[in-house]
Amino acid sequence: MKQFSLVVLLGLLTACGGLSGTGQVDLSGIKVLDQASQEAMLTAVNATRATGRNCFKPNGADVEFFPASSALTLNSKLTLAAQFHAQDMAQNNFMDHKGSRGDTTLNRIDASGYAFLEVGENLSQVTAVNALGLQTTIDESIKEWLISKTGHCQTLMGGQYSEFGVGFASAVVSGKHVYYWVQVFGKPQK
């Protein structure tokens, strides 16, 4: 029997607002997740978006129907920003949209050079007694984002987004395996 827990957070940001911070972000030297693993998460996300579904609103009480959304494409700049944050969380054992240096989602995306109209970020943390395969952590993260009452499903299904970046990192903390996923959704400036 697999034992694990999953924590998810959401940040829905737009060019007109969102999280701001003073954290410095240096993306040089960041090694992104291999292409096959990026594609595995993208495939799961696009399969999810292909079917309309009810999502809880961020208030956790009301639901809203989201029709099927178009498939996303990978964007290397969004992936770089996502990977930076996944590594930061794994190395420093925390789970938050704000990085260990005070950086925010917008700081990281700005540092990547991605020019956007809208962005959104989903985070997940899967903790397990035994090591899990990558696909298991993807499946569990998607499942929990879809039933989340804090807006993750809305971000995943958001028809305004056309591009996607993904980061992944893991650590062993107090003898448990901890897996961090960061998804960054974007609508680029034209």
Side-chain angles (χ1 to χ4, degrees), residues 25-74:
V25 178
D26 179 6
L27 300 178
S28 62
I30 296 296
K31 184 177 181 325
V32 298
L33 191 60
D34 65 275
Q35 190 69 27
S37 298
Q38 290 179 48
E39 293 285 346
M41 179 59 92
L42 179 66
T43 297
V45 167
N46 283 337
T48 300
R49 290 169 60 89
T51 303
R53 66 188 70 245
N54 286 318
C55 296
F56 283 104
K57 291 184 177 182
N59 67 16
D62 302 316
V63 294
E64 176 180 0
F65 180 77
F66 281 77
S69 297
S70 59
L72 302 171
T73 58
L74 282 172

Side-chain angles (χ1 to χ4, degrees), residues 82-153:
Q83 186 63 41
F84 177 86
H85 194 48
Q87 287 177 203
D88 183 25
M89 290 190 297
Q91 290 168 356
N92 294 293
N93 189 28
F94 74 98
M95 177 72 170
D96 198 316
H97 289 284
K98 191 171 195 176
S100 65
R101 299 164 200 80
D103 53 287
T104 66
T105 305
L106 291 181
N107 295 142
R108 294 184 293 272
I109 292 169
D110 286 344
S112 78
Y114 185 78
F116 62 91
L117 295 175
E118 291 188 59
V119 294
E121 179 179 75
N122 280 347
L123 309 178
S124 78
Q125 177 188 54
V126 178
T127 302
V129 174
N130 299 309
L132 299 175
L134 190 72
Q135 190 62 49
T136 299
T137 68
I138 290 171
D139 295 343
E140 291 303 322
S141 294
I142 295 285
K143 182 175 85 176
E144 293 300 319
W145 282 321
L146 290 176
I147 63 171
S148 168
K149 294 186 176 186
T150 55
H152 302 93
C153 181

